[in-house]
Amino acid sequence: MLRKTFTLYKNSFSGLPREIWLISMVSLINRSGAMVVPFLTVYLTRKMGFSLIEAGWVMSAFGLGSIAGAIVGGRLTDRVGHYQVQFWALLLGGGMYFVLMQMETLWTIAVTTFFTSLVNDSFRPANMSSISAYSPKNLYTRSVALLRFAINLGFSIGPAVGGFLAATVGYKWLFVVDGMTCIAAAIVFRMAVTQKYEEKPEEKPLEKNETRVRFSVF
């Protein structure tokens, strides 16, 4: 059974470009440290002494930051490219966890949580965009599958390790490990993944009596 499973995954992901494997490894490192969010409500109520309603406000700030991060990340990816957005989102996102760890009042925690979520989730649009940059069209589906597999595997590791750390050495270590894995992922990304410059598609000239409509989130 295990051999069949191994053969299935081997056949599914064989032949993918080196950069796709490296980007997936970076995502695995990053998501393996994802342990603050799963335990944030527990941390706020048990460690910090906030009520469930107050913890709910903080989680709402996290959700809003996640939405804003997806918009900002997509916008920045269009302007400066997926490579720079991924690197800086990982590096600055890791630093934000160390800042969040120092916050003690409800509103400072909520505001910092919002910006932590915004910075970290700006990584996602750039990460998905990089698949198009490094993967041939005929391998795109399998490349996305490998990336999603790495992300899901990391998410299964992070909470398990986070629960162990919270029970043994304390909740503060969740922030330390989460921040360090983000920074480690940024370093690995910068050292291992080669930046690929993409040519922006040229806009076709307008036909007679034709107008071009532009939409912008800003």
Side-chain angles (χ1 to χ4, degrees):
M1 182 64 182
L2 291 177
R3 178 175 292 182
K4 289 182 179 180
T5 303
F6 176 77
T7 302
L8 175 63
Y9 279 104
K10 181 180 178 182
N11 294 336
S12 298
F13 300 135
S14 61
L16 295 179
R18 173 178 175 272
E19 289 81 4
I20 298 299
W21 282 97
L22 291 172
I23 291 171
S24 298
M25 182 180 68
V26 168
S27 296
L28 175 62
I29 296 172
N30 180 36
R31 297 306 179 185
S32 294
M35 55 189 67
V36 170
V37 175
F39 292 94
L40 186 56
T41 300
V42 180
Y43 166 76
L44 292 171
T45 54
R46 294 190 178 182
K47 178 68 175 179
M48 302 301 294
F50 295 115
S51 66
L52 285 174
I53 295 177
E54 291 172 325
W57 282 111
V58 174
M59 296 309 297
S60 296
F62 170 82
L64 292 174
S66 181
I67 295 172
I71 297 172
V72 172
R75 190 73 173 180
L76 288 175
T77 299
D78 288 339
R79 291 188 175 183
V80 301
H82 58 82
Y83 189 91
Q84 296 297 333
V85 175
Q86 287 183 92
F87 173 74
W88 288 108
L90 290 171
L91 187 65
L92 297 178
M96 288 300 298
Y97 284 112
F98 290 96
V99 176
L100 180 58
M101 181 176 64
Q102 305 299 323
M103 300 298 105
E104 296 182 352
T105 65
L106 176 64
W107 292 110
T108 56
I109 292 175
V111 171
T112 308
T113 297
F114 172 83
F115 285 105
T116 300
S117 177
L118 186 153
V119 173
N120 279 280
D121 281 331
S122 66
F123 170 82
R124 296 186 183 186
N127 190 228
M128 292 302 298
S129 177
S130 66
I131 298 297
S132 298
Y134 291 107
S135 174
K137 290 184 178 180
N138 63 316
L139 297 178
Y140 180 81
T141 302
R142 289 200 288 144
S143 298
V144 172
L146 178 61
L147 178 63
R148 295 304 307 177
F149 176 74
I151 292 172
N152 291 335
L153 180 61
F155 268 128
S156 67
I157 296 172
V161 176
F164 174 78
L165 292 175
T168 55
V169 295
Y171 289 102
K172 291 291 186 179
W173 279 96
L174 304 182
F175 296 88
V176 174
V177 174
D178 209 337
M180 289 302 297
T181 52
C182 289
I183 295 173
I187 295 173
V188 172
F189 179 80
R190 179 68 88 180
M191 295 180 63
V193 181
T194 303
Q195 184 173 3
K196 183 176 181 180
Y197 295 94
E198 298 175 277
E199 293 184 1
K200 295 184 178 180
E202 295 183 1
E203 293 184 344
K204 296 181 179 180
L206 295 176
E207 300 291 341
K208 188 177 181 180
N209 298 327
E210 182 184 3
T211 58
R212 178 174 289 124
V213 180
R214 296 182 182 274
F215 296 91
S216 175
V217 295
F218 297 119

